[in-house]
Amino acid sequence: MRAHAFDIVVIGAGIAGATAAAHLASEKRVALVEAEDAPGYHTTGRSTALWILNYGPADVRAMTALSRRFFETPPPGFWETPLMSRRPVVTLATAAQEAGFRKLLAEGRGMRELSSAETKERIPALRPGYAVAAAIEDDTFEIDVAALLQGFLRQLRASGGVLALRSRAGRIDRQGGGWHVEVSGGNVFTAPVVVNAAGAWGDEVASLAGVAPLGLQPKRRTALIIDPAPWKVADWPAMSDAVTSWYAKPEARSKLLVSPAEETDMTPHDAAPEDIDVAIAIDRMQQALDIEVRRVEHSWAGLRSFTPDRSLAIGWDPKVEGFFWSVGQGGYGIQTSPAQGRLVAALINEGELAEELSFAALVDPARFSRSPEKSTQAQNAERG
Ligand SMILES: Cc1cc2nc3c(=O)[nH]c(=O)nc-3n(C[C@H](O)[C@H](O)[C@H](O)COP(=O)(O)OP(=O)(O)OC[C@H]3O[C@@H](n4cnc5c(N)ncnc54)[C@H](O)[C@@H]3O)c2cc1C
């Protein structure tokens, strides 16, 4: 058994752990430990990779907006290719969804109603009669998730940080004012601070450290790829109905990604798609679009993990010293990741919080150990 001393051990090399480690490494000695053979193997490698401002509760919207500049202009040397590419999003309202759609449109920033002719022009396969109304968000984009993740890991290494793969944290003990994190393979990482960025396993990692869980709920979501030929979809927008019971997005220029947008409660594991969800996705998409599905080229599922009020949980555990949470990234962990990293570093380095990080109170994990008036946020979170 070999012991390695650091200032901070970050557990989990998905996007949450990678951005935290990258942002911390300029001032601290950081080890990022990951159970799997590769970073991003779980939820981070399975996302739809969209950046949508009008998505999720207030904390998510603040972090999404704050992250924008990073995607547009990453730090020098971050990655060789652009992190973002433009992809408008169109919301289609069926007759039954029209009232809710009007509310979305009134509240959404930068959403514009489309005429039926404009909608048909943008989505030529749209079936007549499916949508009674539609709106477009132009200021949305796709994120190159692989580049983003590798860019954060490059920043970590450039600052002298370490990424330890095949290193599942199995014992996490507090000894003499510091943490001992014993990982598979026998190494021990010691540090005064542990950052729990274990995604769906966030509550399990907390329990290993003797920290009370937050009540994280992993929820499965499925996606699949079809060939929509003869339609040429490269320039189509991403699209969903107004209650997000399905969505679709052009993928790899000639393919279409389709999702039934389900949220099935799961325990943490390596998620796989169920045939029934694949069938539901195709059925709902085909109610809207005149696209023949000859075969499903590829399908997968990932776990989107939510806190009880669907806002993120980023901050110190209120009871156990040196234990920091960055979990509950839900369906928005990629688009908020630059802001997450900044907040983690600001809170851990104990500097003043810049005004643009004033949403920190909304994501403070301590809210779950206070008395039960977290319901306002829960109500606000319905779009998440
Ligand atoms: C189908 C789908 C579509 C999505 N679309 C979008 C989107 O368009 N935009 C967006 O912003 N987000 C989207 N998301 C959500 C986004 O992917 C997640 O919010 C984000 O990836 C969560 O990152 P994470 O680092 O918290 O979790 P993960 O990527 O799962 O990382 C957690 C890591 O912790 C490791 N780990 C766990 N336990 C231990 C341990 N004991 N020791 C060491 N390591 C451990 C795991 O192996 C894992 O690698 C989508 C998700 C899905 C499934």
Side-chain angles (χ1 to χ4, degrees), residues 18-340:
T19 186
H23 282 81
L24 289 163
S26 57
E27 293 197 24
K28 301 278 199 286
R29 290 172 304 151
V30 177
L32 174 58
V33 301
E34 167 55 46
E36 303 290 351
D37 291 350
Y41 172 78
H42 287 287
T43 312
T44 295
R46 307 178 191 200
S47 92
T48 308
L50 282 169
W51 183 98
I52 303 176
L53 192 54
N54 292 307
Y55 187 44
D59 60 308
V60 170
R61 292 176 189 223
M63 284 193 271
T64 301
L66 182 59
S67 296
R68 190 200 174 98
R69 205 175 337 135
F70 188 100
F71 291 121
E72 281 172 339
T73 322
F78 186 83
W79 202 249
E80 287 73 22
T81 50
L83 295 179
M84 59 191 271
S85 51
R86 196 174 157 271
R87 177 72 65 194
V89 175
V90 168
T91 304
L92 301 163
T94 64
Q97 298 167 354
E98 196 179 357
F101 166 83
R102 293 282 156 215
K103 192 162 172 279
L104 285 182
L105 189 57
E107 290 170 359
R109 275 169 66 186
M111 282 179 89
R112 174 173 66 82
E113 189 158 4
L114 290 176
S115 69
S116 54
E118 283 174 306
T119 312
K120 183 81 181 161
E121 194 184 324
R122 286 176 184 270
I123 310 171
L126 186 64
R127 288 188 193 275
Y130 177 80
V132 296
I136 190 162
E137 289 172 69
D138 273 314
D139 189 19
T140 49
F141 51 85
E142 285 182 79
I143 300 164
D144 183 338
V145 180
L148 182 67
L149 180 68
Q150 291 303 330
F152 285 136
L153 297 176
R154 183 188 274 183
Q155 281 191 317
L156 170 70
R157 287 191 205 95
S159 303
V162 169
L163 168 64
L165 298 172
R166 294 173 286 281
S167 299
R168 177 179 298 279
R171 282 184 60 174
I172 308 173
D173 295 322
R174 189 135 181 104
Q175 299 173 10
W179 293 102
H180 284 224
V181 180
E182 190 177 326
V183 300
S184 45
N187 286 322
V188 176
F189 294 84
T190 64
V193 171
V194 157
V195 175
N196 175 8
W201 290 266
D203 274 349
E204 286 189 1
V205 162
S207 299
L208 289 173
V211 174
L214 297 183
L216 281 177
Q217 180 59 63
K219 290 173 182 280
R220 189 180 62 220
R221 178 157 289 186
T222 302
L224 51 126
I225 300 291
I226 59 158
D227 182 350
W231 298 105
K232 296 200 177 337
V233 300
D235 295 329
W236 289 12
M239 67 207 92
S240 74
D241 69 352
V243 295
T244 322
S245 73
W246 67 278
Y247 65 81
K249 185 192 86 157
E251 189 78 7
R253 298 210 58 77
S254 63
K255 308 289 181 186
L256 198 66
L257 178 155
V258 186
S259 172
E262 87 280 24
E263 293 196 343
T264 310
D265 286 358
M266 305 299 296
T267 52
H269 72 297
D270 190 354
E274 298 276 333
D275 288 348
I276 182 72
D277 291 319
V278 171
I280 290 170
I282 292 171
D283 177 56
R284 290 182 183 161
M285 179 277 292
Q286 286 186 320
Q287 288 177 36
L289 307 178
D290 185 9
I291 291 179
E292 199 187 331
V293 178
R294 286 171 292 276
R295 117 187 134 81
V296 173
E297 300 202 345
H298 177 46
S299 62
W300 67 91
L303 300 179
R304 298 154 78 248
S305 296
F306 293 90
T307 69
D309 64 12
R310 295 179 72 98
S311 287
L312 278 74
I314 300 179
W316 294 106
D317 186 84
K319 300 217 170 85
V320 177
E321 199 187 334
F323 192 88
F324 191 96
W325 294 87
S326 183
V327 297
Q329 276 74 4
Y332 9 77
I334 311 294
Q335 67 178 42
T336 55
S337 58
Q340 286 178 48

